[in-house]
Amino acid sequence: MPKYKNLELPISISGIASVSALGSSSEEVWKSYRDAIPLFTQKAVGDSVLWVSEIASEADRELWVLQQDPRYKKVDRSVLFAILAARKAVLPKHFSEKNTGINIGSSRGATQLFEQYHSSFLKENSVSTYTSPTTTLGNISSWVGQDLGAKGVQIEHSVTCSTALHALLNGIAWLRAGMADAFVVGGSEAALTPFTFAQMQALRLYSASTNKMACESLRLQKTKNTMVLGEGAAVAVIETGISQRTQAVVKGYGIASEIITHNSSITKDADCFQQSMRMALKKASLETVDCIVMHAPGTVQGDTAEYNAISAVFKEQLPLLTSNKWLVGHTFAASGMLSLELAVMLLKHNRFIENPFFANQRHAPKTLKSVMVNAVGFGGNAVSIIISKP
């Protein structure tokens, strides 16, 4: 049966693209990583001025052009981000020749429209007829499907910051089961809104820095939380087998959760990460990897707990460690796929991108062969993915 044959085939990443402050093309994104300049601007939010990471100017122009299409005048910014990223990642043949599913999730969903419609309701005691269809969780994947002309399954979920990597796991499961030939997976977030900022400030997670190095992701010595919110979307196409399109191969994957004491907490040594990383290593038949793109959100507890988990798992075989949130902030649902995009680029260009807040104790190998990517969401939902060169 085909579904059993699929269990033996490798999972390939045959396309990956993003829209964020890093840029809207692979060339722009890689240049941003090489330039290593934090991509934050200040934004007035109520009585506060906060650091944020907004999409790059070229992506903003593309967004404006997209909004001129009558179909997309009423949809949320999170949907538009996902459509732009998917157009860049997906080849037309994925939909003309293959049974392709879509799973693009979001942490906050259509928060901009939801806040707008809710405000209108409080003032007028009525809402627009577009309110429900444009704020439901599933409308990101379904609109991407409409734009691409897809006929396969279109599903969506929210696992906060590990949403995109959970989408990848879902896609792998569908491919392994023989229920799809390809899957478009990822996350999209457009949460630079007053209510979202208020939530992060209520949790006392948000950065109060006065300089552009606002997010100190992976600075383990910090005493205050330094998380900065970003916006954007990142999307990958995965398929079974290896072809000329293959950019990287998924060698291992792990998933775990832990018992929490608070809705946003994580244990001191991140038990969930220890379990997910060990599972990924076992599936990849590896004892270590060349480097890890960490979740490292810039919070005191989050960064330290993940580092403790990595130290517990790898011990004297500690890989090179890096992150990208010190450059682009925390994009919630999109963050895991942005990290995976960085991992693919590290392998492609055979170059390690340092995090200035963390001093690695070993030098990069001559050839980068394997990279692990971590993500964790509220509730202790951790995912670890290992990719390698084709």
Side-chain angles (χ1 to χ4, degrees):
M1 296 289 288
K3 64 180 180 180
Y4 296 116
K5 290 182 181 179
N6 285 348
L7 290 173
E8 303 169 4
L9 293 172
I11 300 293
S12 288
I13 299 172
S14 56
I16 190 163
S18 66
V19 174
S20 74
L22 292 163
S24 62
S25 69
S26 294
E27 294 76 19
E28 288 178 335
V29 172
W30 183 240
K31 183 178 184 300
S32 292
Y33 280 124
R34 288 187 288 110
D35 290 346
I37 300 172
L39 300 165
F40 303 128
T41 56
Q42 291 186 302
K43 183 182 182 75
V45 182
D47 296 330
S48 304
V49 177
L50 303 174
W51 287 106
V52 300
S53 177
E54 297 178 298
I55 61 170
S57 57
E58 179 58 35
D60 208 30
R61 283 191 288 272
E62 292 177 9
L63 194 73
W64 182 86
V65 172
L66 181 61
Q67 286 179 301
Q68 304 318 299
D69 187 323
R71 295 176 297 170
Y72 303 135
K73 285 187 177 296
K74 300 291 185 180
V75 300
D76 188 69
R77 195 172 171 88
S78 59
V79 174
L80 299 174
F81 288 167
I83 290 173
L84 286 179
R87 285 181 177 182
K88 297 171 188 296
V90 179
L91 295 173
K93 67 171 56 179
H94 284 119
F95 297 103
S96 62
E97 300 175 2
K98 295 177 179 292
N99 170 22
T100 303
I102 299 174
N103 185 179
I104 302 174
S106 182
S107 173
R108 295 300 185 266
T111 184
Q112 190 174 51
L113 280 185
F114 195 91
E115 290 176 34
Q116 175 186 320
Y117 287 139
H118 185 253
S119 176
S120 175
F121 172 73
L122 292 178
K123 292 176 182 177
E124 304 170 13
N125 202 35
S126 64
V127 295
S128 163
T129 55
Y130 292 99
T131 303
S132 180
T134 59
T135 60
T136 52
L137 187 60
N139 88 123
I140 296 180
S141 290
S142 59
W143 273 114
V144 169
Q146 289 288 322
D147 186 73
L148 296 175
K151 297 178 181 178
V153 65
Q154 297 162 21
I155 54 178
E156 195 168 326
H157 64 266
S158 175
V159 199
T160 59
C161 310
S162 55
T163 294
L165 294 193
H166 273 286
L168 176 66
L169 294 176
N170 285 346
I172 291 172
W174 280 73
L175 295 177
R176 293 290 193 213
M179 295 171 65
D181 300 317
F183 237 86
V184 179
V185 298
S188 183
E189 209 69 63
L192 301 185
T193 63
F195 187 56
T196 308
F197 287 123
Q199 292 175 66
M200 296 305 105
Q201 289 176 312
L203 290 169
R204 298 181 180 178
L205 298 178
Y206 216 85
S207 175
S209 175
T210 58
N211 63 70
K212 204 167 185 178
M213 299 291 279
C215 181
E216 298 180 355
S217 169
L218 251 185
R219 187 166 85 85
L220 302 179
Q221 300 79 17
K222 61 181 174 285
T223 57
K224 295 181 180 179
N225 292 324
T226 65
M227 192 176 79
V228 172
L229 288 188
E231 62 178 0
V235 169
V237 180
I238 57 174
E239 302 176 79
T240 52
I242 297 175
S243 70
Q244 291 182 336
R245 297 188 300 274
T246 302
Q247 297 184 33
V249 176
V250 178
K251 296 290 288 185
Y253 47 88
I255 181 173
S257 58
E258 62 182 35
I259 303 301
I260 59 174
T261 57
H262 182 275
N263 290 346
S264 62
S265 71
I266 192 171
T267 51
K268 178 177 177 292
D269 297 321
D271 294 335
C272 55
F273 267 139
Q274 291 189 49
Q275 295 174 50
S276 65
M277 288 188 289
R278 287 193 173 104
M279 183 185 296
L281 288 167
K282 183 177 180 180
K283 285 187 176 293
S285 300
L286 293 173
E287 293 184 359
T288 190
V289 291
D290 292 324
C291 63
I292 301 177
V293 181
M294 294 173 60
H295 182 69
T299 62
V300 174
Q301 186 178 15
D303 290 12
T304 303
E306 185 178 1
Y307 177 76
N308 290 344
I310 291 170
S311 298
V313 170
F314 292 94
K315 298 182 173 63
E316 69 278 0
Q317 293 180 303
L318 195 70
L320 293 165
L321 304 180
T322 193
S323 70
N324 57 13
K325 292 183 179 66
W326 69 277
L327 281 171
V328 74
H330 197 346
T331 53
F332 288 155
S335 63
M337 193 57 66
L338 281 175
S339 293
L340 186 65
E341 181 186 43
L342 172 56
V344 171
M345 288 181 169
L346 296 180
L347 293 175
K348 176 183 177 181
H349 298 283
N350 194 39
R351 175 174 172 176
F352 181 68
I353 299 296
E354 296 276 358
N355 178 313
F357 293 113
F358 184 81
N360 283 285
Q361 300 302 307
R362 55 169 290 217
H363 296 293
K366 291 183 178 180
T367 303
L368 291 173
K369 297 179 180 178
S370 58
V371 183
M372 176 181 281
V373 178
N374 281 341
V376 66
F378 284 163
N381 291 289
V383 180
S384 297
I385 304 293
I386 297 174
I387 64 169
S388 67
K389 292 185 175 182

